[in-house]
Amino acid sequence: MLAPPRVFDGILSVVWALAFTAIPLVTLHVVSGGKVGRLLRGYGVRAFGLSLLFGIATLMASLAVALAMRPFAPLEPNRVGDVLANANALAVSIFLVRTSIQLVGEEVVTVLPLLAVTWFCTARMCIGRRGGLAMGIAVSTLLFSAMHLPTYDWNVVQCFAVIGTARLVLTAAYLRTGSLWVLSGAHILNDWSIFAVGYAGSHLPTGT
């Protein structure tokens, strides 16, 4: 079982998450000619509702695929329950802050290749809009799935099938709204739901 992170280590992890998010966001700002603000529109009640809707859809879609695959392929659990098992309130708070920032960064890192590949295919390869978008979705989904290989003990099937399915729903949220906040909100709600289950599971009283 993992020991709870120290406060200093937790703060460093928040700094790392900020850098992980800021660097690709600045890159996106540069390559878009300063148009990144379109992705960062205001986040109100309607936007939160869309995040909630897509967050639930992401969770349900990935769960359905996981249940369908379980009889045929072993799945690795998310280890967050072990990480938080002995964490105090401050450590949990730092963990949630860090993961929320990191998840925004994951979305920026995923949106970048989606936009880049779509643009390259349509503008340089003369592929139609639908074909270029399909290529962008395929590449960004593969990259997003590969990012999760270390988290799930390099379980290729789980990452590219279960996580890949979740990515497709999240990408649909972006294509539907064009908002990085709606997209990130859906991702955060999805992952925090998983964290909550893991945390609750490690703190439930056990019979003797």
Side-chain angles (χ1 to χ4, degrees), residues 30-96:
V30 172
V31 300
S32 67
K35 297 178 181 178
V36 71
R38 295 179 182 178
L39 301 177
L40 303 174
R41 296 173 230 175
Y43 191 78
V45 175
R46 181 177 182 277
F48 175 76
L50 288 171
S51 290
L52 183 60
L53 176 64
F54 280 106
I56 293 172
T58 302
L59 192 62
M60 293 298 99
S62 57
L63 179 61
V65 174
L67 291 175
M69 290 183 54
R70 195 169 182 178
F72 311 103
L75 301 179
E76 296 295 328
N78 190 302
R79 305 294 181 183
V80 69
D82 293 337
V83 174
L84 298 177
N86 298 313
N88 57 27
L90 177 59
V92 172
S93 298
I94 293 174
F95 175 83
L96 292 177

Side-chain angles (χ1 to χ4, degrees), residues 39 43 47-48 50-52 54-55 58 103-112 114 144 166-191:
L39 301 177
Y43 191 78
F48 175 76
L50 288 171
S51 290
L52 183 60
F54 280 106
T58 302
L103 292 174
V104 174
E106 287 186 14
E107 290 309 321
V108 178
V109 169
T110 305
V111 167
L112 265 173
L114 170 65
F144 181 84
R167 179 67 253 164
L168 291 174
V169 179
L170 290 171
T171 299
Y174 170 72
L175 296 177
R176 170 67 177 81
T177 66
S179 170
L180 181 65
W181 294 134
V182 170
L183 175 59
S184 300
H187 195 167
I188 291 169
L189 289 169
N190 173 80
D191 281 29

